[in-house]
Amino acid sequence: MNKLAIGDFETGDNLPFFLIAGPCVIESEKLVMDIAGQLKEITNKLGIKLVFKSSFDKANRSSVSSFRGLGINEGLRILNKVKREFEVPVLTDIHLHEHADEVGQVVDILQIPAFLCRQTDLLEAAAKTGKVINVKKGQFLSPNEMVNVVDKFEKFGNNNVMLCERGTTFGYNNLIVDMSGIVEMKKFGKPVIFDGTHSVQKPGGNGTSTGGNRENVAHLSRAAVAVGIDGLFLETHPDPDNALSDGPNMVKTTEIEELLKVLQEIDFIVKKV
């Protein structure tokens, strides 16, 4: 596997895992800055590389009345502030191909949502920014089918791609993670990320909003690190029960450090670093 540069660090090639973390959606500038500061302090203490993540718009909410975010202009302003003040790379997702250039001028990593991972126009626009791209594996795709996504990016001239496992739809309002899928996707020569929080979602499980089992995040994350992931994706919030998006599957910010300590120990054993 080739190494991939993100900000001032590299991933891939059996390097220690890095962390992508932040609140699901930008609820306010204060919340984002508070969480970013806590995450920066924790990861500095543990020696883990951090990428801050939050969404300026959640275009795929269960209900039309659900909170979507602060919009592209305010969202990018806040993400740019995080990037400057905490000196960390930032990541956000895009849903429309016309947003790629504008978002790419601020963020270090563009994320393609799972539902949109086969949207060719969106992938092409993201690729042409030259940024690192994190592609969520569609809940409807097998790991092997993600080779077609990789092929699209390569044909569009961007090899800076990471693949993100977040579970496969199984029955009603449930996702199942097949850890062997991580092994399969690593064969494509790209860094593989495990999304520990969206993997415990129950999409639409609360009727007009997403449900989830956040108590399973630690279990699945331990398993994924044991398989040898390159990065871990964890959404976090100081008060998940009152978060405006994806609260049931977000990890409480005060619990992140202890979880990361355990995951580091597993990572060191598996990768012998």
Side-chain angles (χ1 to χ4, degrees):
M1 176 188 294
N2 295 325
K3 293 180 182 178
L4 179 60
I6 301 174
D8 64 352
F9 70 91
E10 293 182 322
T11 186
D13 199 27
N14 214 41
L15 291 168
F17 76 84
F18 72 98
L19 177 67
I20 300 171
C24 177
V25 67
I26 299 174
E27 298 179 16
S28 69
E29 180 177 334
K30 184 180 186 306
L31 178 77
V32 165
M33 298 304 289
D34 286 348
I35 295 175
Q38 292 176 64
L39 290 171
K40 177 71 171 178
E41 183 178 348
I42 291 168
T43 52
N44 277 353
K45 179 180 177 181
L46 299 178
I48 295 173
K49 297 299 184 180
L50 172 67
V51 173
F52 183 83
K53 179 269 169 187
S54 198
S55 300
F56 61 82
D57 179 26
K58 300 297 293 183
N60 56 352
R61 297 301 305 275
S62 298
S63 169
V64 70
S65 61
S66 296
F67 179 76
R68 287 180 53 167
L70 301 184
I72 188 168
N73 293 330
E74 182 68 358
L76 290 180
R77 182 189 69 79
I78 293 171
L79 288 171
N80 195 38
K81 185 175 180 179
V82 169
K83 181 176 180 177
R84 292 194 323 269
E85 292 199 10
F86 297 106
E87 298 182 328
V88 295
V90 294
L91 173 155
T92 198
D93 38 12
I94 56 171
H95 298 83
L96 301 173
H97 65 84
E98 55 262 38
H99 284 167
D101 284 340
E102 184 175 359
V103 176
Q105 292 175 25
V106 173
V107 306
D108 301 272
I109 303 174
L110 291 171
Q111 182 165 277
I112 306 297
F115 285 120
L116 300 176
C117 71
R118 292 179 61 176
Q119 297 295 102
T120 302
D121 289 345
L122 180 63
L123 302 190
E124 183 175 14
K128 288 181 177 179
T129 67
K131 294 291 184 176
V132 174
I133 313 294
N134 185 40
V135 188
K136 295 284 194 79
K137 180 180 75 63
Q139 302 94 321
F140 44 86
L141 292 179
S142 69
N144 289 334
E145 290 175 281
M146 287 298 286
V147 71
N148 296 318
V149 175
V150 171
D151 183 63
K152 286 183 181 181
F153 276 106
E154 291 180 344
K155 283 183 168 55
F156 294 141
N158 190 332
N159 292 312
N160 301 319
V161 177
M162 305 186 296
L163 303 178
C164 185
E165 172 61 80
R166 51 81 37 90
T168 301
T169 299
F170 188 86
Y172 296 93
N173 305 125
N174 204 5
L175 295 168
I176 297 296
V177 178
D178 177 2
M179 293 297 170
S180 69
I182 294 173
V183 178
E184 290 302 310
M185 288 196 292
K186 285 177 77 71
K187 294 177 182 178
F188 305 150
K190 306 297 183 183
V192 174
I193 314 301
F194 177 65
D195 186 341
T197 41
H198 287 95
S199 291
V200 302
Q201 267 188 346
K202 290 184 176 294
N206 291 336
T208 58
S209 64
T210 292
N213 294 317
R214 78 171 67 98
E215 62 271 19
N216 288 332
V217 171
H219 302 303
L220 292 178
S221 296
R222 288 195 295 265
V225 171
V227 173
I229 56 170
D230 300 289
L232 178 67
F233 183 112
L234 295 176
E235 288 188 334
T236 182
H237 194 282
D239 184 12
D241 290 334
N242 290 300
L244 299 182
S245 177
D246 275 1
N249 45 269
M250 280 198 284
V251 178
K252 196 169 184 178
T253 308
T254 54
E255 298 175 359
I256 287 281
E257 183 174 347
E258 290 306 311
L259 173 58
L260 290 175
K261 286 179 180 177
V262 173
L263 298 179
Q264 268 191 313
E265 292 180 11
I266 298 171
D267 196 49
F268 290 159
I269 293 171
V270 170
K271 295 176 181 174
K272 296 181 175 59
V273 294

